[in-house]
Every structure is written in structure tokens, then in C-alpha cells.
């Protein structure tokens, strides 16, 4: 692992008036320092004028280092379909303002070295592309066949686009049209072009700024400490929270993002709003219920069950109950949670691993955290750390609710135990000392050995990790200078957002976990990440670039983000005050590092029928003395049935923290994902520079390592191979798309068993295809002959043009039974808005079949309702059967 020694200097701010002590930083690294009343990063300084007034001269460096090397691709229908991954076009832009004509699909030369000079701001430039290869195939074949064999029908054609990594270009393919990156035809019908303004610069964004309190927060809790910076940022966050309450009394997601989003509001409620705005929190959560079930927001492939972290809602609903004790609220949410978890169990639970499938919680942008070959059905199959920890906790919560209501709870405890066991059996990496990001790979899953910050933190907070594991996770997980990156190491060729990005709300959960574990060094580092960004930017941005700590340079960003401000507030409540809401009352377990020691008071805090004034003195994570209303007590605890105003004083023991381990590393990128193929009995792949070794997996198990670029495979009936590249620093990249060698493959045309559709779509197999919807072909039975008793892999060739790849909520879902035995669900994610001639495969299911005739039934059940409910439509082309 690449390591760098950063100078980390946490200091205790003494109560004396020694001017030298006053100047000492709370935290210092090579790039920035946090003082009790200011943040300093080079020439950038943010200063506290008063608890309600901050100034900052921060100037983003993004425009001054804008490279002349511009990498880009062209696109049909806003999809990454021109060139293979890593095969981008490139130009080094000099003084010219127009590109040469580039032929669509033409393979570019290897990338050159970075030029030594930078592009001026607001540089107007025209890109030109010759699209005649596409238009020619449209006329000759009726479709264009891309590099990976996918076919874009002429009838589905919407336009040509440009994507890239140099602003205003973006690699967000599915939003190219929204970003104004559609090319226009020229006088020559074969040539399309677009003119953009590279390195866009807004002088207003780089002027000195200040924040002055403008909202009335007098009815909210008041926080004072010996760190004026923390006090001011607490007030700033209170004000931003007030501004994010909409006229309908819901919590707005961010300044740029209207509406309520399930995971955003849920993670925010758990951090802070369960106790800051419980009634607003309730109204917000109610907005995310439909048909008595939690709504999965619009997302990858049509939302649920590709994205499956809607159970974050359960965490928020439970926290509101614990903070308020509202029995009516518990009665309201209990059936919603119960219905949701039952549908999830039937749809996304894997009995083999004990884990739930679906997209990484909050990491919901495919290319940002998955290899590019994975489409939405592959994401459905994957099993992510954070998502599974959320499902584990959701089942524990439902069990507790059932106990309160006097109902049966054992089944939820049993399911929770299986999820916990699955996480520790399949995702724990003993050699690294933390959990793997996810299992992935289509039919045979392998670990992705990346660190995933949110999942690791939640595993500690919810008790999936035991004490020894928790200490290891916090001390050994890789942390970069500006904070905990969402994942580590980063994915090459993917711009900052989830990849190569730091998110303050994730950092807040990480800090909370570090506090629980008692790691002072990691907590100091994490607090500095929160306070540096909020202080310099004078707002709670959603994310920042990992390498620069800048709010500019990520794919999408917004100020005044709900979960970021919630995280800022939580540092006071969850860490410094140590608030822990439970059924029987409110516990206090303060964690205060030496740097943030002294006296801190949170007054006017409303808890159920009480108003609390809490003072924490000293530092440490052990309590020496507690007084409540002037009387010494054994525990720092307020019972749930107390009322009136109470004063709590907690004196900490000024103890040393037990663990100071911190793994500070330079940011790092793995090698690219390998492109593999088969040639007869040979498995081949393109060599990659700077590789230490290739790892070859067979059916999800490591077969061997090699430095060669091909392998002669054994003559098995069935084998699925993937290859990854290990770099010279020991980091493993993503595996290749699986390459399957199979001797016995069978296609069964669906139209032979159900009415053929008359819809005018193309590129199908056989004589036609069959439509399924909520009122058409709800049950299809196929009679299939196989030669012997064996295990078979079954999937379906389908199309779904109900929505775009990355959004909406119309993923089609059906149940599959073989010989009257339920096997699981088949998911048919959206493949492009109105692109019904764009065909692909569903997820696969491994089933047992007997020699001779077998009945395969594709049927619609209640748990197959998607998030839209009304539109649950796909076209089925053929069934594919592979003997294992």
C-alpha cells in the first residue's frame, strides 16, 4: 500500500490565556490546518467573526489547472456505445478552436503525456464527427452494431452526443441531453458537430464570501464551546436545515434538488432530524410510501429491485419513534415495514449466501462504483456491504417493533442473524482487516476488495462487526488527506463523484463509528474533514474531489445538502454529546478528543416532554462524574417519561484513548478492467502495462495467477472465467466480464408458447416476441425437454423501453417456477426510453431439471409489483438454458 506520512497534530486547547496555545491548531496536515476559530488551506482562509458570522476567501483551483488534454467519446442515444472502456478519443488543444473530423467508432491512439500548460477559461471549441459508419449500417441493416455486439435499431435512434471528462463535458451518459451535449447535423449530412465552452469560469463563484445568520433559530438548541468554529458551523447548519423545510413541511434534499428522496431523507433523519425536526421527518417519510410499502426512488434500471436500499426508511422511522415515543407513529409504520421486508425477502434474498442483492446503498450511479461491463441486471445480482447492513438492521428493528406490539418476532431475528453471518462469511477480508465492497460477477460471484466507507461505518454502528473487527476497520481502512473516500482505491477513467469523491454525510457516519470505537486519531482526522469543507465553502456541500478537497470538479454537486448539514449537526449531538436514543430513554456517551476538549454546552434541547441543558467538561470517552439537576447520579441517562427542564453535567475522565491507529494513504487508482474473450479453447485478454500479475477466476473461485495474457481452458461442460489485474502496489482491479465456455446451450422461443406480439419492434430472434404486462400474459408456461438430470442456468432475452437506463421506476419483474417449484424472480430492467428494439438478458437463475419434459412457468405474483405498479412491461424474445 502506498503510504505517506502526514503531520497530524491534534492539540488540546487549554483554558488559559496563553497566546501561543491559542494559535495551536486543532488539526494539521500537509495541505490544511483547523484552528479553533479559523480554517487555513494555503492562501485560502475562513475565519469566525462571531457565532453567527463567518468569512471565507476560498477560491477553487479547478479553472487554473484545466488540462489541454481533453478525453471524450461520442454516443448514440446517450449510451456508452462507441468505443470499448478505456478507448477514449483525445485531443491536445492549442490555440485552435475546432477539432479535426473524427470518425465514429475509429479506435484512437494511446494517450499522450499531460501537456505542461493549461487551457484558458471559457475557451470556445467545436467538436466534429463523421457518423457515416452509423448511417450506412442504419440503411443497410436497419441497425448499428456497436463494438460489444449490441444493436441500436434505426427506429430507436434519437441522436448523437458527446461525453467526456473536461467540463462542460461529462461522463454522465444518461444525462447528456440534459447537459446540452447533443450534436447537430451540418451542411454535410455525414458530419455532426457541437460547440462548447471549455473550462467554464464564473467570477461570482470566486469572490470572497461571508455567512451571516438570517433565519430565526432561537427556538432551536444552542451550542457553545471553546471552539468558535464548531459553534458557528453548528448555527450555519441549523439555518440551512430551516431553509430546507418546504412549504408542505417536507425536507428538501438540497438547494439544487427539490423533493424528498428515500435514502437521502432517511440517512439525514437518523443523523439529526429524528430529534431536530421529528414532525417534519414523519411527513417526509409518509411521502415515500405507496401501496403500504416503502418507495424505492427512481433509479438504476427502473428502481427496485435493482436498487434495494429503501429499507433506510426503516432506520429513520425507528429513530423518530425512539426520540418521540409516539405510539401512533409506531402503529402507522409497522405494517409498512412488515410488507416491505416480506416483498424484499421473496425478491432479493439469496439463500446461498444469506445476503440480499441489489445496488450499493447511496452509490447509485453505475459507472461510479461498478465495472462498465455490469449492466442493471448484474447490479441486481450483486450483494453489497452497506445495503446488507441496512437490511440487517431493518430486520432487527422490525423484531423490536413486533415485541412492543406483542406480535411474533422470531422470524425477523432469524433473518437478521443470517444476514449478519453472510456479511461476515462472504465480505470480511481478514488480510485487510475490513469488509469488501460487494460480491459481483453475474452467475458466480467474487469479492470486490475495495473499501466502502458507509458500509464499514454502518457495520460498526449496528453491531455487524464485533469489537475486534470494529477496531480493525477504523484503524486499518485507507483514509486520504481530505477525508474518507466513498470507495478505495479509485476506479481509473471515471471522474470524481462517488468515485474519487468524499461525501460529508458519509464522513459523519465514519466519525460516529470512530467515536464508538474510541479511535482519537481517526476521529480528529474525520472532524477536520467536516469542518474544513463547511468552513471554507460556507455551506454544507454534497461532495468534494478526493484529491483536491474542492467542491468543483465532481460530476454533480449542490450546496445546502440535507444529509451533509445533518452530518455536521450530528458531530455535536452524536459525538461530543454522545446522544443515544433508546426505548427506555436517552443515554449520553460523549466522545471528545483532546483537541476539542474544554467545556461545551447544548441548551434548550427538546427530548419528548423534557427540555435539557447538557454540559460536557474535559475530554476522553470515559465518564468520571454525572450530575442531573445538581444531584450526582450513576448513569448519564434521562428516562423517557421525565418532563420539565433538566440540567445535566457530564465530567469526562480526561483519559487517553485506547487506540491511535490510523492508515493515512495517498489516493490511488487501480489498473483498468480487463477485456477478455474466447478463441476456441483459449481464454485471451489484452495485456495491461504496469501489471504485477493477472488473477484468473473460474466459477467464482481463484484458479491461478499468471503474467501471461491467455489461458488454455479445460474441456469442462461449463465454466465461467473472469480475470483481474493486480498492480505493483498490490491493489486488485475489477474482474473482466465473465467469459462462459458451455457445451450444452439451448434456446426456447417464447412465441412458441404464447401469443406473438404485433408491436413493430425489430432485432429479435425467431418469428417474434411476446409482450408481458400487468394484464397481458400474466402466466406463460413452457414445456422444455432436457437430456439429463442436471443443474441448469436459465435467463431470458428481453427488451424494456419503459424508461431510461438510470432512472424511472418501471423495472419489470416476474416469478419463475420449474415443475411447480418456485425458484425466484427474473428482473427485466429498463434499457432505454422507447428503445423496445434494444435487447439484452435478464438475471439468471440456477435450477434443477429432470431428464425429459419439464414445465417452466413465468408468472406474475403480488411481490412482483414494481415501484410504478401500473406499468410492469417487457418483451420476451427467448429463454436461454445452459447446462452447468
Amino acid at each position: 500500500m502506498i503510504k505517506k506520512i502526514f503531520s497530524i497534530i491534534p492539540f488540546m486547547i487549554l483554558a488559559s490565556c496563553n497566546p501561543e496555545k491559542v494559535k495551536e491548531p486543532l488539526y494539521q496536515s500537509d495541505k490544511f490546518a483547523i484552528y479553533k476559530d479559523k480554517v487555513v488551506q494555503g492562501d485560502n482562509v475562513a475565519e469566525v467573526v462571531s457565532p453567527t458570522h463567518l468569512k471565507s476567501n476560498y477560491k477553487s483551483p479547478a479553472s487554473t489547472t484545466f488540462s489541454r488534454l481533453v478525453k471524450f467519446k461520442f454516443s448514440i442515444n446517450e449510451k456508452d456505445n462507441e468505443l470499448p472502456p478505456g478507448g477514449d478519443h483525445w485531443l491536445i488543444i492549442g490555440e485552435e478552436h475546432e477539432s479535426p473530423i473524427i470518425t465514429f467508432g475509429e479506435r484512437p491512439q494511446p494517450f499522450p503525456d499531460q501537456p505542461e500548460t493549461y487551457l484558458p477559461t471559457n475557451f470556445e471549441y467545436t467538436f466534429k464527427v463523421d457518423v457515416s459508419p452509423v448511417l450506412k449500417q442504419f440503411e443497410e441493416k436497419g441497425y448499428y452494431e456497436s463494438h460489444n455486439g449490441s444493436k441500436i435499431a434505426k427506429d430507436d435512434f434519437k441522436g448523437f452526443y458527446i461525453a467526456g471528462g473536461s467540463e462542460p463535458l461529462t461522463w454522465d451518459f444518461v444525462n447528456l441531453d440534459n447537459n446540452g451535449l447533443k450534436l447537430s447535423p451540418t451542411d454535410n449530412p455525414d458530419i455532426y458537430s457541437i460547440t462548447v465552452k471549455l473550462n467554464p469560469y464564473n467570477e461570482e463563484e470566486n469572490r470572497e464570501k461571508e455567512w451571516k445568520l438570517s433565519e430565526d433559530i432561537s427556538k432551536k438548541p444552542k451550542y457553545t464551546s471553546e471552539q468558535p468554529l464548531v459553534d458557528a458551523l453548528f448555527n450555519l447548519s441549523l439555518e440551512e436545515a430551516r431553509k430546507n423545510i418546504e412549504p408542505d413541511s417536507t425536507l428538501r434534499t438540497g438547494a439544487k434538488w427539490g423533493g424528498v428522496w428515500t435514502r437521502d431523507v432517511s440517512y439525514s433523519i437518523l443523523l439529526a432530524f429524528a430529534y431536530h425536526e421529528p414532525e417534519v421527518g414523519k411527513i417526509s417519510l409518509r411521502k415515500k410510501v405507496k401501496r403500504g410499502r416503502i418507495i424505492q426512488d427512481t433509479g438504476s434500471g427502473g428502481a427496485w429491485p435493482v436498487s434495494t436500499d429503501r429499507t433506510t426508511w426503516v432506520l429513520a422511522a425507528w429513530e423518530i419513534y425512539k426520540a418521540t415515543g409516539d405510539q401512533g407513529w409506531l402503529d402507522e409504520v409497522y405494517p409498512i415495514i412488515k410488507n416491505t421486508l416480506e416483498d424484499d425477502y421473496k425478491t432479493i434474498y439469496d439463500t446461498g449466501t444469506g445476503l440480499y442483492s441489489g445496488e450499493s446503498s447511496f452509490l447509485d450511479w453505475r459507472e461510479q462504483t461498478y465495472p462498465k461491463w455490469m449492466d442493471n441486471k448484474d447490479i441486481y445480482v450483486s450483494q453489497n456491504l452497506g445495503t446488507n447492513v441496512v437490511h440487517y438492521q431493518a430486520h432487527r428493528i422490525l423484531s423490536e417493533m413486533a415485541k412492543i406490539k406483542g406480535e411474533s418476532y422470531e422470524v425477523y431475528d432469524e433473518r437478521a442473524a443470517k444476514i449478519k453471518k453472510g456479511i461476515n462469511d462472504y465480505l470480511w477480508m481478514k488480510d485487510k482487516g475490513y469488509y469488501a465492497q460487494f460480491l459481483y460477477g453475474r452467475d458466480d460471484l467474487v469479492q470486490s476488495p475495495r473499501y466502502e466507507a458507509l458500509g464499514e461505518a454502518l457495520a460498526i454502528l449496528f453491531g455487524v462487526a464485533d469489537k475486534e473487527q470494529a477496531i480493525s476497520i477504523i484503524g486499518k481502512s485507507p483514509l486520504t488527506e481530505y477525508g474518507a473516500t466513498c470507495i478505495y482505491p479509485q476506479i481509473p477513467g471515471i471522474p470524481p463523484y462517488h468515485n474519487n469523491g468524499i461525501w460529508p454525510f458519509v464522513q459523519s457516519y465514519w466519525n460516529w463509528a470512530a467515536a464508538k470505537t474510541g479511535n482519537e486519531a481517526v476521529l480528529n482526522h474525520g472532524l477536520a474533514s467536516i469542518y474544513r469543507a463547511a468552513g471554507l465553502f460556507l455551506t454544507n456541500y454534497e461532495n468534494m474531489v478526493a484529491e483536491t478537497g474542492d467542491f468543483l470538479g465532481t460530476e454533480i454537486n449542490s450546496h445546502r445538502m440535507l444529509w451533509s448539514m445533518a452530518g455536521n449537526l450530528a458531530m455535536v449531538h452524536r459525538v461530543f454529546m454522545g446522544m443515544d436514543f433508546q426505548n427506555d430513554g436517552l443515554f449520553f456517551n460523549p466522545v471528545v478528543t483532546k483537541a476539542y476538549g474544554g467545556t461545551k454546552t447544548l441548551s434548550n434541547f427538546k427530548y419528548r416532554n423534557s427540555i435539557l441543558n447538557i454540559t460536557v467538561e474535559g475530554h476522553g470517552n470515559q465518564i468520571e462524574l454525572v450530575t442531573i439537576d445538581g444531584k450526582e447520579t450513576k448513569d448519564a441517562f434521562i428516562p423517557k417519561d421525565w418532563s420539565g427542564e433538566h440540567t445535566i453535567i457530564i465530567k469526562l475522565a480526561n483519559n487517553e484513548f485506547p487506540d491511535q491507529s490510523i492508515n493515512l494513504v495517498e489516493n490511488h487508482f487501480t489498473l483498468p478492467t480487463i477485456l477478455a474473450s474466447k478463441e476456441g479453447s483459449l481464454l485471451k485478454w489484452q495485456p495491461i502495462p504496469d501489471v504485477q500479475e493477472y488473477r484468473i477466476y473460474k466459477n467464482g473461485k481463484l484458479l491461478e495467477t499468471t503474467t501471461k495474457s491467455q489461458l488454455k481452458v479445460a474441456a469442462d461442460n461449463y465454466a465461467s472465467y473472469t480475470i483481474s489485474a493486480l498492480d505493483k502496489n498490490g491493489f486488485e482491479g475489477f474482474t473482466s466480464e465473465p467469459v462462459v465456455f458451455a457445451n450444452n446451450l439451448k434456446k426456447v422461443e417464447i412465441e412458441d408458447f404464447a401469443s406473438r406480439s404485433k408491436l413493430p419492434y425489430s432485432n429479435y430472434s425467431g418469428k417474434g416476441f411476446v409482450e408481458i404486462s400487468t394484464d397481458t400474459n400474466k402466466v406463460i408456461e413452457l414445456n422444455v425437454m432436457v437430456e439429463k438430470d442436471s443443474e441448469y442456468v436459465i435467463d431470458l432475452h428481453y427488451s424494456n423501453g419503459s424508461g431510461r437506463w438510470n432512472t424511472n421506476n418501471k423495472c419489470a419483474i416476474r416469478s419463475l417456477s420449474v415443475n411447480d417449484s418456485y425458484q425466484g424472480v427474473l428482473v427485466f430492467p429498463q434499457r432505454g426510453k422507447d428503445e423496445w428494439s434494444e435487447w439484452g438478458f435478464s438475471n439468471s437463475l440456477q435450477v434443477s431439471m429432470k431428464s425429459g419434459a419439464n414445465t417452466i412457468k413465468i408468472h406474475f405474483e403480488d411481490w412482483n409489483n414494481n415501484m410504478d405498479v401500473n406499468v410492469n412491461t417487457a418483451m420476451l424474445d427467448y429463454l436461454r438454458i445452459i447446462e452447468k
Side-chain angles (χ1 to χ4, degrees):
M1 181 172 290
I2 304 174
K3 290 184 180 282
K4 182 176 181 181
I5 305 301
F6 297 107
S7 60
I8 304 162
I9 314 173
F11 287 90
M12 177 181 175
I13 305 300
L14 301 177
S16 70
C17 296
N18 186 333
E20 294 304 315
K21 290 292 183 182
V22 170
K23 295 178 182 178
E24 290 178 347
L26 306 175
Y27 178 93
Q28 183 169 332
S29 76
D30 288 351
K31 297 289 178 63
F32 69 94
I34 308 291
Y35 295 85
K36 72 174 189 175
D37 59 356
K38 64 182 177 181
V39 180
V40 178
Q41 182 177 318
D43 295 331
N44 299 304
V45 179
E47 294 184 289
V48 178
V49 179
S50 76
T52 58
H53 187 185
L54 288 158
K55 287 186 175 182
S56 175
N57 69 350
Y58 182 79
K59 290 182 173 59
S60 168
S63 63
T64 61
T65 56
F66 196 98
S67 177
R68 290 182 180 272
L69 174 61
V70 176
K71 300 177 183 179
F72 58 98
K73 284 182 180 179
F74 297 106
S75 161
I76 303 173
N77 293 354
E78 299 180 89
K79 292 183 180 177
D80 187 359
N81 49 21
E82 186 206 6
L83 297 167
D88 307 334
H89 298 298
W90 60 266
L91 292 167
I92 294 179
I93 300 176
E95 301 305 315
E96 78 283 359
H97 288 262
E98 185 174 287
S99 78
I101 295 174
I102 299 163
T103 302
F104 190 98
E106 187 172 78
R107 300 295 173 93
Q109 295 296 312
F111 297 135
D113 294 333
Q114 282 284 351
E116 296 181 358
T117 60
Y118 301 107
L119 197 68
T121 58
N122 299 320
F123 191 90
E124 198 167 89
Y125 196 80
T126 299
F127 294 88
K128 292 186 174 182
V129 58
D130 178 358
V131 296
S132 59
V134 179
L135 301 180
K136 183 179 179 182
Q137 286 196 37
F138 277 166
E139 292 307 312
E140 293 177 352
K141 302 179 181 179
Y143 61 84
Y144 173 76
E145 187 167 351
S146 70
H147 64 89
N148 61 2
S150 63
K151 297 175 181 177
I152 300 104
K154 179 182 178 181
D155 291 342
D156 288 346
F157 175 71
K158 299 188 186 76
F160 295 106
Y161 300 83
I162 187 170
S166 301
E167 197 177 359
L169 304 186
T170 172
W171 290 115
D172 182 11
F173 280 89
V174 292
N175 283 307
L176 295 177
D177 199 33
N178 292 338
N179 283 294
L181 296 174
K182 185 175 184 178
L183 278 69
S184 300
T186 64
D187 293 338
N188 183 336
D190 289 338
I191 308 300
Y192 278 61
S193 72
I194 186 172
T195 300
V196 299
K197 195 172 286 186
L198 295 169
N199 196 10
Y201 178 79
N202 184 348
E203 179 66 36
E204 182 64 30
E205 288 183 349
N206 286 278
R207 291 178 179 170
E208 292 191 10
K209 298 180 178 68
E210 63 179 350
W211 166 77
K212 290 183 178 180
L213 181 68
S214 59
E215 296 281 331
D216 181 9
I217 60 172
S218 60
K219 294 181 180 179
K220 293 298 176 185
K222 181 180 180 181
Y223 179 73
T224 58
S225 71
E226 295 179 19
Q227 296 82 38
L229 177 68
V230 178
D231 303 357
L233 291 176
F234 181 85
N235 290 330
L236 180 150
S237 299
L238 281 180
E239 178 178 78
E240 291 198 327
R242 187 173 178 83
K243 288 181 176 180
N244 271 36
I245 299 176
E246 299 278 42
D248 65 352
S249 295
T250 59
L251 288 164
R252 182 182 179 88
T253 301
K256 293 182 180 179
W257 319 128
V260 180
W261 293 78
T262 303
R263 71 174 64 90
D264 298 54
V265 77
S266 297
Y267 279 127
S268 301
I269 287 170
L270 179 56
L271 281 168
F273 292 108
Y275 48 88
H276 263 291
E277 296 288 351
E279 295 307 314
V280 174
K282 291 177 189 176
I283 295 169
S284 300
L285 292 179
R286 288 185 182 115
K287 291 279 187 180
K288 308 309 297 183
V289 177
K290 184 177 182 178
R291 211 171 56 87
R293 288 154 173 84
I294 303 165
I295 294 172
Q296 182 77 44
D297 291 319
T298 59
S300 301
W304 187 85
V306 176
S307 297
T308 58
D309 68 341
R310 58 179 176 166
T311 41
T312 52
W313 191 98
V314 182
L315 316 180
W318 180 238
E319 200 68 15
I320 288 175
Y321 171 72
K322 291 191 295 180
T324 64
D326 184 345
Q327 186 63 41
W329 173 249
L330 183 72
D331 294 339
E332 178 183 345
V333 302
Y334 177 71
I336 296 168
I337 296 170
K338 190 174 181 180
N339 291 339
T340 301
L341 266 58
E342 285 302 317
D343 283 358
D344 282 353
Y345 183 73
K346 293 172 182 174
T347 305
I348 59 177
Y349 180 65
D350 182 347
T351 57
T353 61
L355 297 175
Y356 280 63
S357 63
E359 193 166 45
S360 304
S361 184
F362 114 86
L363 301 171
D364 60 342
W365 187 337
R366 183 167 57 96
E367 297 92 341
Q368 284 284 331
T369 43
Y370 294 93
K372 284 196 170 184
W373 60 262
M374 285 181 70
D375 64 17
N376 288 316
K377 66 102 173 11
D378 296 317
I379 293 175
Y380 162 77
V381 172
S382 67
Q383 298 173 359
N384 168 259
L385 171 64
T387 303
N388 271 280
V389 175
V390 169
H391 283 290
Y392 164 76
Q393 185 68 359
H395 281 85
R396 290 183 63 204
I397 289 169
L398 184 55
S399 172
E400 290 300 311
M401 288 183 171
K403 290 174 187 176
I404 293 170
K405 293 182 68 63
E407 296 188 13
S408 176
Y409 61 89
E410 291 82 2
V411 65
Y412 308 120
D413 282 344
E414 291 169 4
R415 290 177 185 175
K418 289 178 180 178
I419 300 169
K420 180 176 180 177
K421 185 177 187 301
I423 293 170
N424 284 302
D425 285 351
Y426 290 95
L427 293 174
W428 180 252
M429 300 186 293
K430 188 175 181 180
D431 60 326
K432 296 183 181 296
Y434 49 86
Y435 291 104
Q437 177 186 19
F438 49 63
L439 302 179
Y440 71 118
R442 198 163 287 167
D443 296 326
D444 302 287
L445 305 184
V446 298
Q447 278 186 355
S448 171
R450 282 180 165 85
Y451 154 83
E452 191 237 299
L454 181 60
E456 311 282 354
L458 296 179
I460 293 170
L461 293 171
F462 298 153
V464 171
D466 62 27
K467 184 177 180 181
E468 183 179 337
Q469 286 175 309
I471 291 171
S472 175
I473 292 166
I474 292 295
K476 293 181 179 179
S477 291
L479 302 175
T480 61
E481 181 151 21
Y482 291 105
T485 54
C486 294
I487 61 171
Y488 189 95
Q490 315 307 324
I491 306 169
I494 302 297
Y497 185 59
H498 295 141
N499 185 62
N500 197 21
I502 296 167
W503 289 53
F505 102 88
V506 175
Q507 184 71 62
S508 300
Y509 277 104
W510 180 254
N511 293 355
W512 190 1
K516 180 180 177 180
T517 308
N519 189 312
E520 183 178 30
V522 171
L523 181 54
N524 271 326
H525 171 266
L527 291 169
S529 177
I530 298 287
Y531 294 141
R532 182 203 70 87
L536 289 175
F537 308 154
L538 299 184
T539 185
N540 289 288
Y541 267 103
E542 182 166 49
N543 51 59
M544 51 187 149
V545 179
E547 292 167 304
T548 63
D550 190 18
F551 67 89
L552 287 180
T554 64
E555 285 284 83
I556 303 172
N557 209 349
S558 175
H559 62 289
R560 214 177 77 220
M561 281 302 294
L562 186 71
W563 46 15
S564 299
M565 67 183 74
N568 205 319
L569 293 170
M571 294 305 93
V572 168
H573 296 91
R574 299 296 197 178
V575 178
F576 295 149
M577 296 290 132
M579 289 184 175
D580 179 16
F581 297 89
Q582 294 298 333
N583 289 340
D584 53 349
L586 173 57
F587 292 83
F588 297 90
N589 301 290
V591 180
V592 180
T593 67
K594 286 183 181 179
Y596 291 86
T599 299
K600 42 186 60 65
T601 298
L602 183 70
S603 57
N604 194 37
F605 181 81
K606 294 177 177 60
Y607 168 65
R608 299 198 181 189
N609 294 317
S610 299
I611 295 177
L612 308 179
N613 303 303
I614 311 116
T615 296
V616 175
E617 299 174 350
H619 67 265
N621 64 345
Q622 298 173 16
I623 295 175
E624 182 177 286
L625 181 67
V626 181
T627 62
I628 298 179
D629 298 331
K631 296 180 180 180
E632 185 175 337
T633 62
K634 181 182 178 182
D635 299 312
F637 171 70
I638 298 295
K640 64 180 181 181
D641 54 358
W642 277 23
S643 61
E645 189 166 352
H646 302 280
T647 299
I648 304 103
I649 300 175
I650 302 170
K651 184 178 180 181
L652 296 175
N654 293 337
N655 61 285
E656 296 294 325
F657 284 77
D659 192 349
Q660 297 300 307
S661 300
I662 185 168
N663 183 23
L664 281 171
V665 299
E666 292 181 352
N667 202 19
H668 186 71
F669 293 78
T670 62
L671 293 173
T673 303
I674 288 172
L675 299 175
S677 61
K678 61 181 177 181
E679 190 175 295
S681 61
L682 285 179
L683 175 67
K684 304 181 73 174
W685 57 94
Q686 292 181 340
I688 295 178
D690 302 318
V691 70
Q692 176 180 313
E693 66 181 23
Y694 300 103
R695 293 183 172 179
I696 303 171
Y697 296 88
K698 178 181 178 182
N699 299 338
K701 306 293 183 184
L702 181 64
L703 176 67
E704 62 177 86
T705 62
T706 182
T707 56
K708 299 176 182 179
S709 58
Q710 65 179 38
L711 174 75
K712 185 173 178 61
V713 303
D716 298 314
N717 191 52
Y718 170 92
S720 175
Y721 293 91
T722 56
I723 306 100
S724 66
L726 192 76
D727 68 24
K728 293 180 179 178
N729 295 303
F731 290 103
E732 183 178 6
F734 285 130
T735 64
S736 65
E737 183 171 9
V739 178
V740 176
F741 291 78
N743 295 330
N744 191 350
L745 185 150
K746 183 172 187 160
K747 286 170 59 174
V748 179
E749 295 290 343
I750 306 297
E751 68 271 18
D752 291 342
F753 297 91
S755 299
R756 185 171 58 188
S757 173
K758 295 180 181 180
L759 291 166
Y761 307 143
S762 60
N763 297 340
Y764 51 82
S765 169
K767 300 174 184 177
F769 54 89
V770 172
E771 179 184 5
I772 56 172
S773 68
T774 54
D775 54 13
T776 304
N777 292 314
K778 294 184 74 171
V779 178
I780 300 175
E781 285 195 3
L782 295 78
N783 295 316
V784 176
M785 299 290 294
V786 295
E787 293 183 359
K788 61 180 181 179
D789 295 357
S790 187
E791 294 294 308
Y792 295 86
V793 175
I794 290 180
D795 57 12
L796 274 157
H797 200 232
Y798 81 98
S799 72
N800 181 350
S802 299
R804 300 170 66 172
W805 272 80
N806 71 318
T807 186
N808 299 121
N809 57 1
K810 301 178 181 70
C811 178
I813 313 164
R814 293 298 182 273
S815 293
L816 182 81
S817 295
V818 176
N819 298 326
D820 294 324
S821 174
Y822 176 70
Q823 301 296 315
V825 301
L826 293 168
V827 298
F828 310 104
Q830 298 163 186
R831 299 187 61 82
K833 178 65 175 172
D834 298 324
E835 294 180 40
W836 290 101
S837 298
E838 163 73 28
W839 301 87
F841 286 101
S842 70
N843 65 301
S844 63
L845 291 171
Q846 183 170 317
V847 304
S848 297
M849 287 198 284
K850 61 187 180 181
S851 174
N854 294 265
T855 301
I856 296 177
K857 185 166 70 172
I858 302 163
H859 49 110
F860 183 85
E861 301 294 344
D862 186 58
W863 59 86
N864 299 146
N865 277 292
N866 61 16
M867 294 296 102
D868 182 84
V869 179
N870 296 317
V871 179
N872 195 327
T873 303
M875 307 299 146
L876 304 185
D877 185 12
Y878 62 84
L879 182 78
R880 183 171 64 172
I881 304 173
I882 302 174
E883 183 187 346
K884 287 204 81 172

